[in-house]
Each structure stands twice: as C-alpha cells, then as structure tokens.
Amino acid sequence: MKLTKRSIYILLVIVLTIAVDQISKVIVREHITLRTNINPGERIPLIGDAFVLMNVENTGAFLGMGSELNETLRIILLLILPILVLGYVLRYIFKDKSLDNWSLFAFASIIGGGIANVFDRIAFGKVTDFLFIDLGGVFRTGIFNLADLSVTTGMIILLIASFKKKKI
C-alpha cells in the first residue's frame, strides 16, 4: 500500500483516537477508585451532578449489554465479530476513494474507538468506562468512555453526511 496524504490522515485519526482513549483509561484506573456493586466507589463531579467521572469495569458492550452472556458467546460477539467488522470497514475506507474527508474522519473515528475497546477486552477482559452525563433528566447517558464517544460521534457524522447527500 502506497502511503498517501489520505492514508496518513486515516491512520493518524485512528492512532490518535486509540491513544487518547487508552491514556484516559490509564489515568482513570490509576486515580479513580473502582466502582463495584459492593463498594459504590468514587464519583468525581466535574460540572455539578451533570458531568461526573467514575471508574466502572464493563465486561459487556455498550451500557453493559452482553455482560450476562456465556464466555464463548462473549468472545464471538465482543471480540471476533468486532475485529472482522473493523477490518472490513478499514479495508473499505482505504479502497473507496470517493469518500469525503468528513466520512473518512467518521469511519476512522469508529475504527479507532472500536480498536481501543477491543484492545481493552483482550488485555484486561473488560472495558474501563468512566464518564456519565445527566442534564437534569432531559438527557442522561449510561457510563461510557472516550472510545464510545468516538464511535458515537463517527456514527452521527455519517448520519448527517448521508442526509446531506440525499438532499442534493
């Protein structure tokens, strides 16, 4: 593969996404008490109760979904399948030269976030989540991490881009 500006852009977004996510998780693991069912752990309000930091280890996927699955199914659904999908999407964005920069950024963000969470599952058997937003009941999230935020942001950008393309 020839390293073009486009390829470097894709790889840079992926690597930076993984790096920022992993650095944030190291900081959280080292400085914020682990939250468990037995011990509620530490909650650090950043902006009142609206934006809170905590340390939760998630054995499932988004919002803990799949944490109750048996080990074989968890390996298939949370490791093997995501690796295959991420590989396919990575191949797709390198091959499809018609993608605009926003779509490249979105796909690369999704891939970077996906790789970061898959890495956690391989290295630790779980994913560190630590951010929680509650805007007074109007908007409330589950506990998430920067990789999740990257994947979600990428999906929103792709959704907006698809609506813009259909409008034209």
Side-chain angles (χ1 to χ4, degrees):
M1 172 177 81
K2 182 181 167 195
L3 219 50
T4 62
K5 280 185 184 180
R6 185 178 181 281
S7 301
I8 292 169
Y9 175 72
I10 293 167
L11 293 172
L12 191 62
V13 171
I14 292 171
V15 169
L16 285 175
T17 300
I18 295 167
V20 168
D21 176 73
Q22 291 300 304
I23 290 167
S24 69
K25 289 173 182 173
V26 166
I27 292 168
V28 165
R29 282 188 217 108
E30 288 180 3
H31 298 288
I32 300 177
T33 308
L34 181 62
R35 184 176 172 161
T36 65
N37 291 334
I38 300 164
N39 175 7
E42 189 174 1
R43 291 175 61 102
I44 301 172
L46 294 177
I47 304 172
D49 287 333
F51 195 71
V52 177
L53 281 179
M54 59 184 72
N55 181 359
V56 176
E57 298 298 330
N58 180 0
T59 58
F62 181 69
L63 301 177
M65 289 186 287
S67 58
E68 302 299 319
L69 294 172
N70 71 49
E71 190 63 22
T72 305
L73 274 176
R74 259 206 328 258
I75 288 170
I76 292 168
L77 295 175
L78 301 179
L79 280 178
I80 296 171
L81 186 59
I83 289 169
L84 292 173
V85 170
L86 291 168
Y88 174 79
V89 175
L90 184 61
R91 183 174 171 265
Y92 167 74
I93 66 172
F94 274 115
K95 295 251 182 221
D96 187 348
K97 305 297 184 205
S98 69
L99 291 171
D100 60 90
N101 282 340
W102 278 108
S103 295
L104 285 177
F105 177 80
F107 279 122
S109 295
I110 292 166
I111 293 166
I115 290 171
N117 279 340
V118 165
F119 173 81
D120 281 1
R121 286 190 188 95
I122 292 169
F124 306 108
K126 55 196 168 206
V127 175
T128 300
D129 291 331
F130 55 90
L131 295 167
F132 174 71
I133 300 171
D134 184 357
L135 302 178
V138 175
F139 176 78
R140 184 176 184 189
T141 67
I143 302 165
F144 62 98
N145 59 46
L146 295 181
D148 299 333
L149 182 62
S150 182
V151 170
T152 303
T153 302
M155 294 301 290
I156 291 168
I157 292 170
L158 288 176
L159 188 64
I160 291 168
S162 73
F163 283 125
K164 283 186 175 185
K165 285 179 185 174
K166 287 181 181 178
K167 241 184 201 181
I168 297 174

